[in-house]
Amino acid sequence: MASIAEFEQACENGASIQEELLGGILRKTHYLQKFGSPQSLAAYKSQVPIVSYEDVAGVIEKIACGEEDFPELGSGRVLGLYYCGHQSHTKAGIWVGALTTYLIKTYRGPFNKFTTPYEMIISGSNWRELTYCHLLCALIQRDAVEQIDASFAYIICGALKILQSDWQDICNDIRTGSLSSGKVTHPKLQEAFANFLVNKENIAGTADAIAKICSRESWSGILSLLFPGAKLVSAVVTGAMAHFVPELRDYAGGKLPISGKDYYSSEGVLGINTNPASPLEDVVFTILPHIMYYEFLPLGANNPAGEILAPHEVVVGQEYEIVITTFAGLYRYRVGDVVKVSSFFHGVPQLAFSYRKNAVLSVQNEMVDEQELQNVVMEVSKDAGIEVANFTAYGNSTAVPAHYVIFWELKRREGINRELLERCCSSIDRSFNPGYTGKRLDEVIDSLELVIVKEGTFERLMEEAVRNGTSPAQYKTPRCVTSPRMLEVLESGRVQSYKSGEMPRSVFESWEPSFPQG
Ligand code: AMP
């Protein structure tokens, strides 16, 4: 126990001793990561809210129940839904292709944990056939799978849709130990599958268990049923992928945690998620100051060069466009992404991904960006109780008057009638910013059209992009389509369409964002 003299001395220097002690606590804790891991008294006071018991009751309850916060991964296998895209060379022999393709071809090591043989992943086959093989190989080893991983959330949702349509073929192939379903025609995949089956004994029985699971009416929690040892699902869940989070959560069920992956682009690693256990809506990315040189352009800056900020100068809560300088030879390059500074981790900002800047709808000089479009679609469909499997938009500026077309593929049709969809169409039309609604009111922009497309249309959209050289692992549904070919694919899936009603003046006058921006 401290002596009275020590106690008295501590009281005399109370303020500095308190600050020193706080520093010691802050250095030791991981809990404050979600508040940007403050390390100084000033940062602590500005970043960490004062809480009462009610605020921490949930965490205390979890600790009391012995619940693990985040799973430790062991030596199990990974169902890794990865694909090699097309590669080409420039005239000078420089290799051109997607980042994922480069990584897969260059680093074999991480793929040894995958349930799919490496030879299959690099076979250069079509994505549908490879997805079938990914599922087939993983299901044969279902008890060993501890992680389900893909670069983007929609890839996992897309693979499960293929399983929904093809599970009987997959089960038959497992039963017969061959690719007799005819679903896989690529010779390299066939050869790799034959090699994969060597030494795999007694697999036929697995088929019955899988068939029983897949024939369930509800696919909620299906991932844990198919892969009982799975501990984690990981994929990018932010930005355009936020749309797939409810579907992914449903497949994962309540127990299997989902972790949001890092913020990568072909230009470089833009940030990492230092808190993989963070709720998906709160995922933020910490920049990597030793990897590239970052600058931040305030949104709407008139004089980019003058107003650009260094990482330590950005302000929490503000949105910026990322500008990078890399060893690979990009100098003050605008990546095209808008991010919002959520906090600081030691001296560097942590960024929430807001939206991709260039994806905008504009037919009469108004502007609806990707984030607004996504918010509107998510909000309107949620209010109507409709599950939209995927969506995109087209600004038809050649029509007179010009107008927006929104394409929806629905997850299920039951209980959705004409009246409900008509209402959704008008709600979408009325939810955009006043730059749009004002022009609607003036009839410079015509009624909005909501087109329902048949199941599989967005899959064909992806196939089209893949045919044109996009890697399946890199493809993200474009939220605004501009290419005539993409439009043709969407139009070929058209089932029904609806036109929005008249734009009431009150909508224009009383507009305010009804959902958080960012
Ligand atoms: P690419 O260059 O085709 O690989 O695509 C990179 C782009 O994908 C980025 O600039 C972002 O727009 C988007 N992206 C990548 N990772 C994430 C992430 N974790 N969250 C949101 N968007 C992301």
Side-chain angles (χ1 to χ4, degrees), residues 98-100 151-152 235-241 260-268 270-271 283 285 335-338 353-357 370 470 473-476:
L99 175 68
T100 37
S151 43
F152 292 102
V236 166
V237 291
T238 30
M241 294 303 130
K261 286 183 81 162
D262 300 329
Y263 178 19
Y264 273 65
S265 76
S266 303
E267 293 89 354
L270 297 168
V283 169
F285 307 101
V335 174
D337 290 344
V338 173
F353 183 90
S354 290
Y355 57 95
R356 216 170 153 83
K357 189 148 188 281
E370 177 175 327
T470 305
Q474 204 176 17
Y475 173 81
K476 300 154 215 83

Side-chain angles (χ1 to χ4, degrees), residues 282-340:
D282 299 340
V283 169
V284 293
F285 307 101
T286 309
I287 69 164
L288 301 161
H290 57 303
I291 297 272
M292 61 172 76
Y293 185 74
Y294 296 82
E295 293 177 275
F296 292 88
L297 187 59
L299 276 200
N302 293 325
N303 168 13
E307 293 184 44
I308 201 153
L309 303 177
H312 67 275
E313 293 171 325
V314 296
V315 177
V316 170
Q318 295 294 310
E319 286 192 316
Y320 302 89
E321 220 189 300
I322 298 196
V323 177
I324 57 169
T325 297
T326 68
F327 283 107
L330 293 171
Y331 305 100
R332 307 197 95 187
Y333 177 80
R334 292 167 83 155
V335 174
D337 290 344
V338 173
V339 293
K340 189 185 215 169

